[in-house]
């Protein structure tokens, strides 16, 4: 095919994909924020989404489209962005390519049902309600990777789909370090560490003021308020709608000031990422992250390294005191920061502090690996979960809702999504260390110099979208491939200083 004609077709393909993704993002935002929740509305939306998904599938799977994407991805005379863009489109089709349209729709439907059943199972704290649906969706997933011709450990396939180039060997090494160094550290903190008082976080913080606090934080981080919108939801998240339009959905708890603050810091990391991509990347599908660990690292950096640091609160605490003079007016800043960082033995991943968080992920990693290789029957997950939770966290879940039913992931996003959360925190520490070789990072937090911090993040990481695989990006930004040592040392230093 003539090259110009080929590229023209590729651009048309991209526009068509943008159309589907736009509708998906807007209806997704609508359904999780303002749409009324009744069965009729939910069923109608599900039916319309299924039709759109079917149409999109048919469009993507046209043989001439697949041939075009393959030709572009392989043409070394084309620029990197164009080739990578075609490659990522193909990667998105990894599962679809081994299914007929009818099989694909059946798989999507089974996942939808699994998600609904998970909701019910969670409410009733009963694993047996969800179990047959997990068995079905897991069997579907394993069958598809077999069709793909994957001969290695199935979990390795899932992991590499989520984080290209990062193999199970990398994860084994990383989680091995957590098991050897962070599990004993947490045990020592819990048994011999200083008792920290975090009751100040659970005073009364009126919702209206918390909303103002969210905007103060946005301003402090240098996020342009006109570059998106904020809405209310039950589980905070950020979604890209279109150029210059990113939405943040948040949740407020009047008796927990840390919840909205830290989740805002996290979501702002995602939102800043969206607003800092280069124009060339923004015009392509590379605007979306292809590596969930990288995407999470950019949000976790702002949530953990920045918003849980002592230095940042030197800058931001006066604003909080002005917002809540009765509660915080005469309350000591150091005590507030210690409260914010208190580590607790409790069962819920989403509520975890920085120290125990990766341990929640560690045992999910071990369980998922065993599920995929067939050495753990899915019916036995709650029992194994209980054992590992006790061994690593020092807490015994009271029921299945405190155990494996707490997360929606197995019912929606599949297996192998959890490791990205821990690895993201680890990448973030590697960035902070690299940044520290160029300027005084703590001084930047102390003075609220986010122009400097955001500038580094944009130049080294955010501008590229998913142009590079994680290890290549890490090497370019920090001078080395993934090195978990930064993270492990960061946690050790932080919690030793805090608790001993
Ligand atoms: Zn996130």
């Amino acid at each position: 095919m003539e090259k110009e004609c080929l590229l023209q077709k590729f651009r048309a393909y991209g526009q068509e994909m943008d159309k589907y993704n736009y509708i998906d993002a807007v209806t997704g935002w609508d359904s999780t924020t303002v749409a009324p929740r009744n069965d009729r509305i939910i069923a109608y939306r599900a039916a319309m989404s299924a039709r759109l998904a079917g149409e999109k599938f048919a469009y993507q799977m046209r043989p001439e489209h697949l041939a075009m994407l393959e030709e572009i991805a392989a043409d070394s005379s084309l620029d990197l962005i164009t080739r990578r863009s075609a490659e990522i489109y193909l990667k998105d089709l990894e599962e679809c390519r081994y299914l007929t349209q009818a099989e694909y729709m059946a798989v999507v439907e089974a996942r939808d049902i699994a998600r609904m059943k998970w909701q019910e199972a969670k409410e009733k704290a009963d694993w047996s309600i969800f179990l047959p649906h997990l068995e079905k969706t897991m069997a579907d997933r394993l069958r598809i990777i077999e069709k793909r011709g994957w001969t290695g450990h199935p979990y390795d396939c899932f992991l590499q789909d989520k984080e290209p180039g990062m193999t199970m060997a990398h994860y084994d090494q990383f989680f091995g370090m957590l098991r050897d160094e962070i599990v004993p550290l947490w045990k020592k903190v819990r048994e011999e560490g200083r008792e920290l008082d975090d009751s100040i976080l659970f005073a009364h913080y009126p919702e209206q003021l918390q909303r103002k606090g969210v905007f103060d934080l946005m301003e402090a981080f240098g996020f342009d308020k006109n570059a998106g919108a904020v809405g209310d939801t039950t589980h905070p998240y950020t979604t890209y709608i279109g150029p210059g339009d990113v939405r943040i959905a948040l949740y407020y708890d009047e008796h927990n000031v840390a919840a909205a603050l830290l989740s805002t810091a996290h979501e702002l990391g995602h939102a800043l990422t969206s607003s800092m991509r280069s124009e060339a990347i923004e015009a392509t599908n590379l605007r979306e992250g292809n590596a969930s660990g990288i995407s999470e690292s950019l949000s976790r950096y702002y949530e953990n390294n920045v918003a849980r640091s002592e230095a940042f609160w030197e800058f931001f605490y006066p604003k909080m005191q002005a917002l809540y003079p009765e509660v915080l007016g005469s309350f000591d800043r150091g005590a507030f920061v210690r409260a914010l960082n208190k580590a607790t033995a409790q069962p819920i991943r989403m509520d975890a502090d920085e120290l125990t968080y990766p341990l929640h992920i560690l045992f999910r990693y071990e369980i998922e690996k065993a599920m995929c290789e067939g050495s753990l029957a899915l019916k036995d997950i709650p029992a194994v979960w209980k054992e590992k939770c006790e061994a690593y966290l020092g807490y015994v879940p009271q029921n299945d809702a405190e155990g494996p039913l707490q997360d929606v992931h197995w019912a929606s996003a599949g297996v192998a999504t959890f490791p990205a959360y821990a690895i993201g925190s680890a990448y973030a520490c590697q960035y902070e260390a690299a940044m520290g070789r160029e300027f005084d990072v703590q001084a930047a937090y102390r003075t609220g110099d986010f122009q400097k911090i955001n500038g580094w993040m944009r130049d080294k990481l955010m501008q590229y979208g998913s142009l590079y695989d994680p290890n290549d990006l890490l090497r370019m930004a920090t001078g080395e491939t993934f090195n978990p040592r930064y993270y492990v040392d960061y946690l050790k230093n932080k919690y030793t200083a805090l608790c001993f």
Side-chain angles (χ1 to χ4, degrees):
M1 208 187 289
E2 276 299 314
K3 195 157 288 179
E4 193 36 49
C5 172
L6 181 74
L7 289 174
Q8 214 168 0
K9 287 197 166 141
F10 183 53
R11 280 191 290 273
Y13 180 90
Q15 282 167 359
E16 199 63 11
M17 287 301 105
D18 285 350
K19 176 188 86 181
Y20 287 118
N21 294 337
Y22 177 74
I23 298 170
D24 216 27
V26 174
T27 53
W29 169 261
D30 175 78
S31 74
T32 53
T33 54
V34 294
R37 273 168 243 277
N38 67 48
D39 289 351
R40 196 171 162 209
I41 293 170
I42 292 170
Y44 186 72
R45 184 189 125 75
M48 292 304 109
S49 301
R51 277 167 73 170
L52 270 167
E55 253 180 49
K56 184 179 171 187
F57 178 92
Y59 182 83
Q60 287 173 299
M61 295 303 291
R62 279 188 207 164
E64 71 265 29
H65 287 157
L66 293 173
M68 168 194 68
L69 294 175
E70 269 159 7
E71 194 178 339
I72 290 177
D75 187 341
S76 56
S77 73
L78 290 170
D79 65 284
L80 177 64
I81 291 182
T82 306
R83 275 183 287 134
R84 178 75 171 181
S85 168
E87 228 174 74
I88 300 286
Y89 278 130
L90 283 169
K91 182 173 170 279
D92 291 344
L93 294 173
E94 201 69 82
E95 281 200 345
C96 301
R97 293 186 78 169
Y98 299 91
L99 298 170
T100 63
Q101 187 175 5
E103 284 168 337
Y104 173 73
M105 304 284 283
V107 165
V108 171
E109 199 189 335
R111 287 178 195 173
D112 273 357
I113 295 170
R115 203 188 150 105
M116 282 182 326
K117 286 289 164 187
W118 164 79
Q119 189 84 45
E120 185 192 334
K122 188 181 175 185
E123 278 156 23
K124 296 182 178 160
D126 183 352
W127 180 251
S128 71
I129 296 173
F130 179 53
L131 179 63
H133 301 280
L134 181 61
E135 282 171 342
K136 165 91 179 84
T137 52
M138 267 304 286
D140 281 345
R141 289 197 162 96
L142 290 170
R143 203 182 59 242
I144 295 168
I145 58 171
E146 211 179 289
K147 281 191 182 177
R148 283 165 63 178
W150 185 268
T151 51
H153 195 298
Y155 194 47
D156 208 6
C157 180
F158 293 132
L159 283 172
Q160 292 191 49
D161 279 351
K162 305 277 181 196
E163 199 76 359
M166 293 289 289
T167 66
M168 214 163 73
H170 293 105
Y171 288 94
D172 281 344
Q173 192 219 350
F174 171 59
F175 284 109
M177 279 172 84
L178 296 183
R179 202 171 29 242
D180 296 344
E181 300 185 52
I182 304 303
V183 172
L185 171 65
W186 166 228
K187 191 167 190 290
K188 194 165 171 233
V189 165
R190 159 167 120 237
E191 289 171 358
E192 302 162 32
R194 190 184 300 139
E195 189 66 44
L196 301 177
D197 178 5
D198 62 352
S199 54
I200 189 70
L201 304 177
F202 308 105
H204 185 237
Y205 297 88
E207 192 180 308
Q208 271 321 100
L209 296 181
Q210 291 203 35
R211 289 179 188 278
K212 166 91 174 52
V214 161
F215 279 97
D216 285 348
L217 196 61
M218 265 187 188
E219 202 169 28
F221 279 10
F223 181 71
D224 177 4
K225 283 179 214 157
N226 298 318
V230 181
D232 294 350
T233 190
T234 44
H235 291 288
Y237 76 101
T238 302
T239 189
Y240 170 88
I241 300 278
D245 185 0
V246 54
R247 309 283 173 89
I248 304 176
L250 295 170
Y251 171 74
Y252 303 90
D253 177 347
E254 293 212 319
H255 289 280
N256 182 353
V257 75
L261 263 178
L262 294 172
S263 56
T264 302
H266 180 100
E267 300 310 330
L268 277 174
H270 285 305
L272 283 164
T273 307
S274 281
S275 66
M276 293 209 207
R277 283 180 293 248
S278 76
E279 254 175 67
I281 293 291
E282 184 67 20
T284 70
N285 57 333
L286 303 180
R287 67 172 90 92
E288 275 142 286
N290 74 324
S292 28
I294 293 290
S295 153
E296 274 305 290
S297 69
L298 300 169
S299 53
R300 273 155 204 279
Y301 167 74
Y302 286 89
E303 175 192 350
N304 293 333
N305 301 72
V306 177
R308 292 185 204 255
S309 74
E310 215 172 329
F312 172 70
W313 287 95
E314 279 190 44
F315 163 69
F316 200 68
Y317 194 59
K319 294 182 205 298
M320 290 284 284
Q321 286 182 305
L323 204 54
Y324 310 106
E326 279 165 26
V327 189
L328 299 178
S330 56
F331 192 83
D332 178 60
R333 184 186 75 225
F336 183 82
V337 178
R338 283 194 294 280
L340 209 54
N341 282 292
K342 182 182 177 178
T344 315
Q346 60 80 37
I348 307 299
R349 175 186 63 84
M350 295 268 287
D351 297 337
D353 52 88
E354 219 179 340
L355 178 62
T356 61
Y357 189 91
L359 307 184
H360 288 262
I361 306 297
L362 165 62
F363 67 79
R364 282 163 176 75
Y365 176 74
E366 293 175 345
I367 288 173
E368 286 193 327
K369 219 165 112 171
M371 274 160 75
C372 290
E373 66 194 19
S375 61
L376 170 62
L378 304 184
K379 71 172 172 38
D380 297 330
I381 287 176
V384 174
W385 190 285
K386 225 174 233 178
E387 261 166 45
K388 287 185 184 285
C389 193
E390 185 176 13
Y392 294 156
L393 292 174
Y395 182 95
V396 184
Q398 300 304 301
N399 55 47
D400 294 346
E402 278 195 357
L405 287 173
Q406 65 180 277
D407 295 306
V408 66
H409 301 60
W410 290 342
S412 62
V415 287
T417 41
F418 294 117
Y421 299 150
I423 224 158
S425 304
Y427 291 163
C429 290
Q430 191 168 333
Y431 307 152
E432 193 182 43
M435 215 185 275
R437 291 192 283 272
E438 292 179 31
F439 60 89
D440 185 343
V441 181
Q442 300 301 319
Y445 298 161
R446 243 188 321 270
T447 54
D449 189 355
F450 281 89
Q451 230 176 340
K452 198 160 207 164
I453 291 161
N454 295 347
W456 192 95
M457 295 300 276
R458 181 193 60 230
D459 294 349
K460 304 280 184 173
L461 301 160
M462 291 173 170
Q463 62 158 320
Y464 296 117
S466 50
L467 187 58
Y468 302 108
D469 278 355
N471 261 329
D472 295 331
L473 186 65
L474 279 163
R475 197 183 312 106
M476 289 165 58
T478 71
E480 57 187 319
T481 53
F482 177 45
N483 180 353
R485 181 45 59 199
Y486 293 104
Y487 178 50
V488 172
D489 286 351
Y490 163 91
L491 287 176
K492 280 178 155 175
N493 293 335
K494 179 165 181 171
Y495 278 89
T496 303
L498 193 70
C499 301
F500 297 100

